[in-house]
Amino acid sequence: MMMSLFLAGSSLLSFNTGFAIWILISLIVFLGIMYKFALPPIIKGIEEREQSIQSSLDAAEKALREAEKISKDNEEVVREAERTAQSIRKEATKEVEEFRAERMEKAKEEAEKLIEDAKKSIDQEKQKALQELRKEVTDLTIEATTRLLQKNVDSETNRKLIDETINDLSKN
Amino acid sequence: MFRHVFVSQSLSPLKVAFVTLLVLFGSFGVGLSASATGVANASDADAAETEESSSPIDVMGKIADHDYIESPFGKVYLPRIFWVDGQFYTYSSTKKALASGDFIEKEGVIYRADETPITIDLSITSHLVYVWLGFILALLISLWAASRYRRGIGRTSAPKGALHNIYEILYLFIRDDVIQGYIPKEKAPRYTPLLFSMFMAIAFMNLFGLLPWAATATADLTVTATLAFVTFIVTQASGTKTYWGHIFNFPGVPLLVKFILTPVEILGLFTKPLALCFRLFANMLSGKIMIISILGLIFIFTELFGATVGVGSSVIWVSLTAVLYGLKVFVALLQAYIFTLLSAVFIGGALEEHHHEEHDVEHNDVKVMDPINA
């Protein structure tokens, strides 16, 4: 058994020149056909597809970046608009505030002026009334005095009474 | 009830597979015994070997190269072509060669009638047939794929169909991970067709060996040596100055060390493809021997313990072989991949431009200095 194994083994490990020549020739023919006919369309086809995929990916990336840029621009515009709107609103509020304050001031002034005028006219009226009153009182007093004098001019007590009356009146 | 149906349904494909396997190996077994008797007849002359050749299986006969191919329908004898002393002889089979009277057989070796040994035996052998089959299948599939790419399938659209997809996956794997991983990217396209063709051819040769009656062409040293020779030639042909410099005059090493290093490097030139050749050969051979030996146990057991034990134990051997077969499919593709990968590594190593930092600086200095000096 060992013997046959050894013998067979030696033939197994032997190099057969004629066989090698055949293989080399076949390999050259095989590689020749592969190089000339089989592989070029495969290599080129796959490369083309890869390139087209790559270019589509690039285009998609570019489109995405553009879209991002546009949306960013849009955002910027919206923000700008918001900012403007806010400033306009602020200005408007300020203006309204100012206007209101002005109006209030004016109203207050007018009111004060009105009050002052009223006071002044009241005072005037009062002075006028007092004057009139005084004149009336004087007239009345003169009349009363005249009447009293007609009756009792010399009476000391009466004189005192009249003076007191006049004083009282003038105080009022 | 449903469960029963389910179980029986799930079992049926398994059963079919098992029966198919048994039938396949059954035919294999017939082949084995047939070749065993054939060898017994052939070596009848050698009296010392009669005892050994009564063994029920002939492992070596199954592995060695033959002048016939086995098919499920019987042996097909192949033509013999001899080149003796500058003269060609062609016969349609060994028998015809012997019958013509021009050639005689002595102890299993064929001589010309005047006992001159054959100079070069250019006979078509079983291994050569399977080498051709491997090449032809690789070619047919590649041409088929090429026609599809030419029609635009895979070029403008995605590849369609399982075969096309598998083909492309293999191609892209070899191109991107194997070749471009080890060969500089700008030079890789030059080697892609060669290495991919080699991968396809080796893979198909390996896979053909899985057929029970077929021979594994890559389990023949001549085949693997020739393939490794191609890698060797391509490697040396594409060697750069740096590569040769590193072999004959290793930079940055004392002179005395160079005397040791240079022979080692020169030896390395040849050991690399040699390792490539033996790795593929041994891997494919061992798988084949393993399968034959394990299945042969059925016949050995029958011989030793009777038919009942032989047939009964066959369940173990057949299931073990089934597992091994799965492994062999994997190994067949793996070894084709490894052969391609190492070829790429060797070629990539030969293509290496110098990468020593000091050297680059030196050269740059020289380049910068020159115009000033001039």
Side-chain angles (χ1 to χ4, degrees):
Chain A
M1 184 78 160
M2 275 319 287
M3 187 67 185
S4 80
L5 256 176
F6 179 72
L7 278 175
S10 71
S11 83
L12 213 69
L13 282 172
S14 68
F15 183 81
N16 187 344
T17 320
F19 185 23
I21 291 169
W22 269 121
I23 297 164
L24 218 51
I25 293 168
S26 327
L27 194 64
I28 288 165
V29 171
F30 166 69
L31 289 176
I33 301 174
M34 284 294 258
Y35 265 79
K36 191 105 180 95
F37 302 109
L39 291 177
I42 296 169
I43 292 169
K44 230 172 68 193
I46 288 175
E47 232 159 56
E48 251 170 53
R49 199 183 75 217
E50 272 170 353
Q51 269 165 11
S52 83
I53 289 171
Q54 193 57 50
S55 65
S56 341
L57 278 177
D58 286 349
E61 183 110 337
K62 209 175 139 199
L64 193 73
R65 218 167 294 140
E66 237 158 61
E68 251 167 33
K69 202 182 147 217
I70 287 169
S71 87
K72 210 180 264 175
D73 284 358
N74 280 351
E75 228 165 70
E76 194 59 43
V77 167
V78 167
R79 213 171 294 148
E80 187 65 52
E82 246 168 38
R83 223 177 289 139
T84 317
Q86 205 146 5
S87 73
I88 288 170
R89 209 175 59 193
K90 220 184 253 171
E91 223 163 82
T93 319
K94 212 170 117 196
E95 254 169 37
V96 166
E97 199 70 31
E98 265 170 19
F99 183 68
R100 209 178 62 169
E102 208 176 287
R103 291 299 302 240
M104 282 284 273
E105 199 70 26
K106 231 182 198 170
K108 230 183 213 170
E109 259 170 36
E110 249 164 47
E112 258 163 31
K113 204 176 158 196
L114 272 175
I115 289 166
E116 207 129 295
D117 282 358
K119 263 186 189 164
K120 230 184 238 170
S121 73
I122 286 166
D123 258 10
Q124 267 172 5
E125 287 298 312
K126 196 175 146 194
Q127 288 299 325
K128 221 180 180 176
L130 271 173
Q131 232 144 14
E132 250 168 49
L133 195 66
R134 214 171 258 151
K135 202 181 162 193
E136 195 84 1
V137 168
T138 315
D139 284 350
L140 277 175
T141 314
I142 290 168
E143 212 182 290
T145 316
T146 319
R147 267 187 207 168
L148 273 174
L149 281 178
Q150 276 172 0
K151 269 184 187 173
N152 188 10
V153 185
D154 286 326
S155 163
E156 199 70 25
T157 326
N158 286 344
R159 192 179 288 272
K160 217 175 172 184
L161 198 74
I162 290 161
D163 280 345
E164 266 171 23
T165 314
I166 289 166
N167 270 346
D168 276 354
L169 276 170
S170 71
K171 253 177 213 168
N172 285 327
Chain B
M1 176 143 166
F2 272 111
R3 208 177 144 194
H4 175 75
V5 169
F6 172 71
V7 166
S8 73
Q9 266 182 349
S10 70
L11 254 175
S12 61
L14 254 179
K15 262 185 196 161
V16 169
F18 192 69
V19 168
T20 318
L21 212 64
L22 274 177
V23 169
L24 272 176
F25 290 134
S27 70
F28 192 10
V30 171
L32 273 176
S33 51
S35 68
T37 50
V39 166
N41 288 336
S43 54
D44 259 348
D46 202 347
E49 271 193 38
T50 354
E51 205 186 22
E52 278 85 31
S53 57
S54 69
S55 160
I57 57 155
D58 174 25
V59 178
M60 290 306 154
K62 204 61 197 154
I63 306 154
D65 212 353
H66 291 296
D67 56 352
Y68 57 84
I69 51 164
E70 278 175 48
S71 74
F73 317 105
K75 284 181 187 176
V76 178
Y77 284 91
L78 299 165
R80 303 298 306 250
I81 305 165
F82 303 123
W83 169 262
V84 190
D85 277 346
Q87 217 178 334
F88 266 116
Y89 298 90
T90 47
Y91 303 98
S92 63
S93 70
T94 312
K95 257 183 212 162
K96 289 268 171 66
L98 294 176
S100 70
D102 288 335
F103 287 89
I104 49 164
E105 192 188 339
K106 254 190 179 179
E107 289 169 11
V109 184
I110 292 174
Y111 296 95
R112 199 162 67 178
D114 56 1
E115 295 208 7
T116 350
I118 291 158
T119 320
I120 297 173
D121 186 358
L122 283 165
S123 305
I124 314 292
T125 62
S126 55
H127 283 171
L128 182 57
V129 170
Y130 282 101
V131 169
W132 284 346
L133 282 175
F135 285 167
I136 287 167
L137 203 58
L139 264 182
L140 284 179
I141 289 189
S142 298
L143 286 170
W144 170 80
S147 78
R148 282 179 79 106
Y149 282 106
R150 221 178 267 125
R151 267 183 285 143
I153 305 164
R155 195 178 64 208
T156 48
S157 66
K160 258 181 235 149
L163 193 60
H164 194 173
N165 270 298
I166 290 168
Y167 190 91
E168 202 180 296
I169 286 166
L170 286 176
Y171 171 74
L172 290 177
F173 172 66
I174 295 293
R175 192 195 67 178
D176 295 342
D177 292 343
V178 178
I179 297 169
Q180 284 183 2
Y182 297 95
I183 295 176
K185 208 161 185 183
E186 64 278 6
K187 285 175 184 165
R190 250 167 63 197
Y191 298 97
T192 308
L194 172 78
L195 291 173
F196 180 63
S197 303
M198 295 260 267
F199 171 79
M200 290 296 279
I202 295 169
F204 278 125
M205 279 189 254
N206 290 351
L207 288 171
F208 260 121
L210 296 175
L211 291 175
W213 59 82
T216 317
T218 38
D220 190 309
L221 199 60
T222 313
V223 179
T224 57
T226 314
L227 290 170
F229 176 70
V230 172
T231 300
F232 174 75
I233 292 294
V234 172
T235 307
Q236 308 322 323
S238 50
T240 56
K241 235 182 214 170
T242 321
Y243 172 69
W244 293 112
H246 275 237
I247 288 167
F248 292 112
N249 190 12
F250 207 95
V253 164
L255 189 68
L256 263 169
V257 183
K258 274 180 192 169
F259 277 111
I260 309 164
L261 211 55
T262 306
V264 170
E265 287 284 348
I266 291 170
L267 215 64
L269 283 184
F270 300 100
T271 51
K272 278 178 198 163
L274 220 63
L276 202 61
C277 138
F278 276 109
R279 180 178 294 107
L280 180 60
F281 164 67
N283 270 291
M284 297 325 293
L285 187 71
S286 63
K288 192 107 187 158
I289 292 178
M290 232 163 29
I291 297 269
I292 297 164
S293 305
I294 288 170
L295 280 179
L297 283 174
I298 299 169
F299 304 99
I300 290 173
F301 272 39
T302 312
E303 188 127 305
L304 289 176
F305 308 112
T308 333
V309 178
V311 172
S313 66
S314 68
V315 178
I316 303 165
W317 312 130
V318 170
S319 46
L320 198 61
T321 308
V323 174
L324 269 175
Y325 245 81
L327 197 69
K328 268 189 74 174
V329 175
F330 172 66
V331 168
L333 292 171
L334 182 77
Q335 288 304 323
Y337 157 65
I338 287 175
F339 193 97
T340 318
L341 175 84
L342 288 175
S343 295
V345 170
F346 295 157
I347 293 169
L351 283 169
E352 219 169 338
E353 298 292 347
H354 58 147
H355 51 86
H356 287 262
E357 294 270 320
E358 318 97 44
H359 284 262
D360 280 331
V361 170
E362 259 175 44
H363 278 263
N364 284 344
D365 280 349
V366 168
K367 269 174 196 162
V368 170
M369 289 297 283
D370 270 342
I372 296 168
N373 286 341

PDB file of all heavy atoms in Angstrom, chain B residues 190-209:
ATOM      1  N   ARG B 190      -4.459  48.028 -15.735  1.00  0.00           N
ATOM      2  CA  ARG B 190      -3.675  47.203 -16.644  1.00  0.00           C
ATOM      3  C   ARG B 190      -3.726  45.737 -16.240  1.00  0.00           C
ATOM      4  O   ARG B 190      -3.568  44.847 -17.084  1.00  0.00           O
ATOM      5  CB  ARG B 190      -2.223  47.689 -16.625  1.00  0.00           C
ATOM      6  CG  ARG B 190      -1.828  48.359 -17.918  1.00  0.00           C
ATOM      7  CD  ARG B 190      -0.518  49.100 -17.775  1.00  0.00           C
ATOM      8  NE  ARG B 190       0.611  48.240 -17.474  1.00  0.00           N
ATOM      9  CZ  ARG B 190       1.775  48.667 -16.985  1.00  0.00           C
ATOM     10  NH1 ARG B 190       1.924  49.935 -16.727  1.00  0.00           N
ATOM     11  NH2 ARG B 190       2.756  47.835 -16.753  1.00  0.00           N
ATOM     12  N   TYR B 191      -3.902  45.476 -14.946  1.00  0.00           N
ATOM     13  CA  TYR B 191      -3.829  44.098 -14.461  1.00  0.00           C
ATOM     14  C   TYR B 191      -5.197  43.498 -14.176  1.00  0.00           C
ATOM     15  O   TYR B 191      -5.312  42.311 -13.942  1.00  0.00           O
ATOM     16  CB  TYR B 191      -2.957  44.042 -13.207  1.00  0.00           C
ATOM     17  CG  TYR B 191      -1.547  44.471 -13.492  1.00  0.00           C
ATOM     18  CD1 TYR B 191      -1.124  45.773 -13.238  1.00  0.00           C
ATOM     19  CD2 TYR B 191      -0.651  43.591 -14.073  1.00  0.00           C
ATOM     20  CE1 TYR B 191       0.159  46.179 -13.539  1.00  0.00           C
ATOM     21  CE2 TYR B 191       0.637  43.979 -14.382  1.00  0.00           C
ATOM     22  CZ  TYR B 191       1.042  45.273 -14.113  1.00  0.00           C
ATOM     23  OH  TYR B 191       2.309  45.661 -14.428  1.00  0.00           O
ATOM     24  N   THR B 192      -6.227  44.355 -14.205  1.00  0.00           N
ATOM     25  CA  THR B 192      -7.563  43.859 -13.877  1.00  0.00           C
ATOM     26  C   THR B 192      -8.003  42.723 -14.810  1.00  0.00           C
ATOM     27  O   THR B 192      -8.447  41.682 -14.308  1.00  0.00           O
ATOM     28  CB  THR B 192      -8.582  45.011 -13.907  1.00  0.00           C
ATOM     29  OG1 THR B 192      -8.092  46.057 -13.091  1.00  0.00           O
ATOM     30  CG2 THR B 192      -9.933  44.557 -13.430  1.00  0.00           C
ATOM     31  N   PRO B 193      -7.900  42.840 -16.142  1.00  0.00           N
ATOM     32  CA  PRO B 193      -8.380  41.744 -17.004  1.00  0.00           C
ATOM     33  C   PRO B 193      -7.637  40.446 -16.745  1.00  0.00           C
ATOM     34  O   PRO B 193      -8.249  39.375 -16.659  1.00  0.00           O
ATOM     35  CB  PRO B 193      -8.105  42.259 -18.420  1.00  0.00           C
ATOM     36  CG  PRO B 193      -7.917  43.712 -18.299  1.00  0.00           C
ATOM     37  CD  PRO B 193      -7.395  43.969 -16.934  1.00  0.00           C
ATOM     38  N   LEU B 194      -6.323  40.522 -16.587  1.00  0.00           N
ATOM     39  CA  LEU B 194      -5.520  39.321 -16.372  1.00  0.00           C
ATOM     40  C   LEU B 194      -5.933  38.622 -15.081  1.00  0.00           C
ATOM     41  O   LEU B 194      -6.252  37.422 -15.089  1.00  0.00           O
ATOM     42  CB  LEU B 194      -4.036  39.699 -16.300  1.00  0.00           C
ATOM     43  CG  LEU B 194      -3.121  38.547 -15.892  1.00  0.00           C
ATOM     44  CD1 LEU B 194      -2.894  37.618 -17.053  1.00  0.00           C
ATOM     45  CD2 LEU B 194      -1.802  39.040 -15.346  1.00  0.00           C
ATOM     46  N   LEU B 195      -5.951  39.372 -13.998  1.00  0.00           N
ATOM     47  CA  LEU B 195      -6.210  38.736 -12.702  1.00  0.00           C
ATOM     48  C   LEU B 195      -7.647  38.263 -12.595  1.00  0.00           C
ATOM     49  O   LEU B 195      -7.917  37.209 -12.011  1.00  0.00           O
ATOM     50  CB  LEU B 195      -5.869  39.708 -11.572  1.00  0.00           C
ATOM     51  CG  LEU B 195      -4.364  39.972 -11.442  1.00  0.00           C
ATOM     52  CD1 LEU B 195      -4.095  41.059 -10.429  1.00  0.00           C
ATOM     53  CD2 LEU B 195      -3.646  38.707 -11.033  1.00  0.00           C
ATOM     54  N   PHE B 196      -8.581  39.031 -13.182  1.00  0.00           N
ATOM     55  CA  PHE B 196      -9.979  38.582 -13.134  1.00  0.00           C
ATOM     56  C   PHE B 196     -10.172  37.321 -13.981  1.00  0.00           C
ATOM     57  O   PHE B 196     -10.885  36.396 -13.583  1.00  0.00           O
ATOM     58  CB  PHE B 196     -10.906  39.703 -13.610  1.00  0.00           C
ATOM     59  CG  PHE B 196     -12.343  39.313 -13.590  1.00  0.00           C
ATOM     60  CD1 PHE B 196     -12.960  39.001 -12.392  1.00  0.00           C
ATOM     61  CD2 PHE B 196     -13.081  39.227 -14.758  1.00  0.00           C
ATOM     62  CE1 PHE B 196     -14.281  38.618 -12.352  1.00  0.00           C
ATOM     63  CE2 PHE B 196     -14.403  38.842 -14.732  1.00  0.00           C
ATOM     64  CZ  PHE B 196     -15.003  38.545 -13.524  1.00  0.00           C
ATOM     65  N   SER B 197      -9.516  37.262 -15.140  1.00  0.00           N
ATOM     66  CA  SER B 197      -9.597  36.059 -15.976  1.00  0.00           C
ATOM     67  C   SER B 197      -9.030  34.861 -15.235  1.00  0.00           C
ATOM     68  O   SER B 197      -9.605  33.764 -15.265  1.00  0.00           O
ATOM     69  CB  SER B 197      -8.824  36.265 -17.269  1.00  0.00           C
ATOM     70  OG  SER B 197      -9.309  37.373 -17.951  1.00  0.00           O
ATOM     71  N   MET B 198      -7.889  35.073 -14.576  1.00  0.00           N
ATOM     72  CA  MET B 198      -7.273  33.988 -13.808  1.00  0.00           C
ATOM     73  C   MET B 198      -8.229  33.527 -12.709  1.00  0.00           C
ATOM     74  O   MET B 198      -8.407  32.320 -12.484  1.00  0.00           O
ATOM     75  CB  MET B 198      -5.972  34.487 -13.158  1.00  0.00           C
ATOM     76  CG  MET B 198      -4.920  34.852 -14.138  1.00  0.00           C
ATOM     77  SD  MET B 198      -3.703  33.561 -14.308  1.00  0.00           S
ATOM     78  CE  MET B 198      -2.489  34.083 -13.134  1.00  0.00           C
ATOM     79  N   PHE B 199      -8.836  34.500 -12.041  1.00  0.00           N
ATOM     80  CA  PHE B 199      -9.763  34.149 -10.959  1.00  0.00           C
ATOM     81  C   PHE B 199     -10.910  33.307 -11.488  1.00  0.00           C
ATOM     82  O   PHE B 199     -11.253  32.261 -10.926  1.00  0.00           O
ATOM     83  CB  PHE B 199     -10.296  35.418 -10.301  1.00  0.00           C
ATOM     84  CG  PHE B 199     -11.407  35.165  -9.324  1.00  0.00           C
ATOM     85  CD1 PHE B 199     -11.131  34.706  -8.054  1.00  0.00           C
ATOM     86  CD2 PHE B 199     -12.734  35.362  -9.698  1.00  0.00           C
ATOM     87  CE1 PHE B 199     -12.148  34.448  -7.151  1.00  0.00           C
ATOM     88  CE2 PHE B 199     -13.750  35.109  -8.811  1.00  0.00           C
ATOM     89  CZ  PHE B 199     -13.457  34.649  -7.533  1.00  0.00           C
ATOM     90  N   MET B 200     -11.498  33.758 -12.585  1.00  0.00           N
ATOM     91  CA  MET B 200     -12.645  33.034 -13.148  1.00  0.00           C
ATOM     92  C   MET B 200     -12.233  31.618 -13.563  1.00  0.00           C
ATOM     93  O   MET B 200     -12.926  30.639 -13.268  1.00  0.00           O
ATOM     94  CB  MET B 200     -13.198  33.774 -14.370  1.00  0.00           C
ATOM     95  CG  MET B 200     -13.896  35.064 -14.062  1.00  0.00           C
ATOM     96  SD  MET B 200     -15.362  34.833 -13.065  1.00  0.00           S
ATOM     97  CE  MET B 200     -16.508  34.359 -14.328  1.00  0.00           C
ATOM     98  N   ALA B 201     -11.108  31.517 -14.251  1.00  0.00           N
ATOM     99  CA  ALA B 201     -10.656  30.212 -14.743  1.00  0.00           C
ATOM    100  C   ALA B 201     -10.379  29.264 -13.579  1.00  0.00           C
ATOM    101  O   ALA B 201     -10.845  28.118 -13.574  1.00  0.00           O
ATOM    102  CB  ALA B 201      -9.396  30.404 -15.583  1.00  0.00           C
ATOM    103  N   ILE B 202      -9.668  29.755 -12.575  1.00  0.00           N
ATOM    104  CA  ILE B 202      -9.330  28.892 -11.438  1.00  0.00           C
ATOM    105  C   ILE B 202     -10.599  28.506 -10.684  1.00  0.00           C
ATOM    106  O   ILE B 202     -10.780  27.343 -10.297  1.00  0.00           O
ATOM    107  CB  ILE B 202      -8.320  29.597 -10.504  1.00  0.00           C
ATOM    108  CG1 ILE B 202      -6.999  29.799 -11.239  1.00  0.00           C
ATOM    109  CG2 ILE B 202      -8.097  28.789  -9.239  1.00  0.00           C
ATOM    110  CD1 ILE B 202      -6.031  30.697 -10.518  1.00  0.00           C
ATOM    111  N   ALA B 203     -11.486  29.477 -10.514  1.00  0.00           N
ATOM    112  CA  ALA B 203     -12.724  29.179  -9.790  1.00  0.00           C
ATOM    113  C   ALA B 203     -13.511  28.088 -10.513  1.00  0.00           C
ATOM    114  O   ALA B 203     -14.017  27.144  -9.890  1.00  0.00           O
ATOM    115  CB  ALA B 203     -13.562  30.450  -9.660  1.00  0.00           C
ATOM    116  N   PHE B 204     -13.598  28.178 -11.839  1.00  0.00           N
ATOM    117  CA  PHE B 204     -14.367  27.177 -12.574  1.00  0.00           C
ATOM    118  C   PHE B 204     -13.665  25.827 -12.586  1.00  0.00           C
ATOM    119  O   PHE B 204     -14.315  24.787 -12.485  1.00  0.00           O
ATOM    120  CB  PHE B 204     -14.649  27.654 -14.000  1.00  0.00           C
ATOM    121  CG  PHE B 204     -15.826  28.572 -14.055  1.00  0.00           C
ATOM    122  CD1 PHE B 204     -15.731  29.832 -14.610  1.00  0.00           C
ATOM    123  CD2 PHE B 204     -17.049  28.178 -13.513  1.00  0.00           C
ATOM    124  CE1 PHE B 204     -16.823  30.688 -14.634  1.00  0.00           C
ATOM    125  CE2 PHE B 204     -18.139  29.023 -13.539  1.00  0.00           C
ATOM    126  CZ  PHE B 204     -18.019  30.280 -14.095  1.00  0.00           C
ATOM    127  N   MET B 205     -12.339  25.845 -12.673  1.00  0.00           N
ATOM    128  CA  MET B 205     -11.607  24.580 -12.606  1.00  0.00           C
ATOM    129  C   MET B 205     -11.828  23.929 -11.246  1.00  0.00           C
ATOM    130  O   MET B 205     -12.064  22.719 -11.149  1.00  0.00           O
ATOM    131  CB  MET B 205     -10.113  24.825 -12.836  1.00  0.00           C
ATOM    132  CG  MET B 205      -9.745  24.947 -14.280  1.00  0.00           C
ATOM    133  SD  MET B 205      -7.956  24.977 -14.438  1.00  0.00           S
ATOM    134  CE  MET B 205      -7.692  26.671 -14.811  1.00  0.00           C
ATOM    135  N   ASN B 206     -11.753  24.744 -10.197  1.00  0.00           N
ATOM    136  CA  ASN B 206     -11.981  24.214  -8.853  1.00  0.00           C
ATOM    137  C   ASN B 206     -13.388  23.663  -8.719  1.00  0.00           C
ATOM    138  O   ASN B 206     -13.602  22.597  -8.141  1.00  0.00           O
ATOM    139  CB  ASN B 206     -11.791  25.318  -7.807  1.00  0.00           C
ATOM    140  CG  ASN B 206     -10.346  25.741  -7.674  1.00  0.00           C
ATOM    141  OD1 ASN B 206      -9.470  25.099  -8.229  1.00  0.00           O
ATOM    142  ND2 ASN B 206     -10.108  26.810  -6.941  1.00  0.00           N
ATOM    143  N   LEU B 207     -14.350  24.416  -9.254  1.00  0.00           N
ATOM    144  CA  LEU B 207     -15.752  24.005  -9.091  1.00  0.00           C
ATOM    145  C   LEU B 207     -16.052  22.765  -9.918  1.00  0.00           C
ATOM    146  O   LEU B 207     -16.871  21.932  -9.513  1.00  0.00           O
ATOM    147  CB  LEU B 207     -16.686  25.156  -9.466  1.00  0.00           C
ATOM    148  CG  LEU B 207     -16.696  26.302  -8.459  1.00  0.00           C
ATOM    149  CD1 LEU B 207     -17.473  27.489  -9.013  1.00  0.00           C
ATOM    150  CD2 LEU B 207     -17.303  25.877  -7.132  1.00  0.00           C
ATOM    151  N   PHE B 208     -15.391  22.622 -11.061  1.00  0.00           N
ATOM    152  CA  PHE B 208     -15.591  21.415 -11.870  1.00  0.00           C
ATOM    153  C   PHE B 208     -15.164  20.178 -11.099  1.00  0.00           C
ATOM    154  O   PHE B 208     -15.732  19.097 -11.267  1.00  0.00           O
ATOM    155  CB  PHE B 208     -14.801  21.505 -13.185  1.00  0.00           C
ATOM    156  CG  PHE B 208     -15.646  21.909 -14.346  1.00  0.00           C
ATOM    157  CD1 PHE B 208     -15.374  23.039 -15.074  1.00  0.00           C
ATOM    158  CD2 PHE B 208     -16.753  21.129 -14.690  1.00  0.00           C
ATOM    159  CE1 PHE B 208     -16.168  23.412 -16.129  1.00  0.00           C
ATOM    160  CE2 PHE B 208     -17.542  21.491 -15.753  1.00  0.00           C
ATOM    161  CZ  PHE B 208     -17.256  22.636 -16.460  1.00  0.00           C
ATOM    162  N   GLY B 209     -14.169  20.349 -10.252  1.00  0.00           N
ATOM    163  CA  GLY B 209     -13.690  19.232  -9.454  1.00  0.00           C
ATOM    164  C   GLY B 209     -14.723  18.713  -8.475  1.00  0.00           C
ATOM    165  O   GLY B 209     -14.567  17.626  -7.920  1.00  0.00           O
TER     166      GLY B 209
END
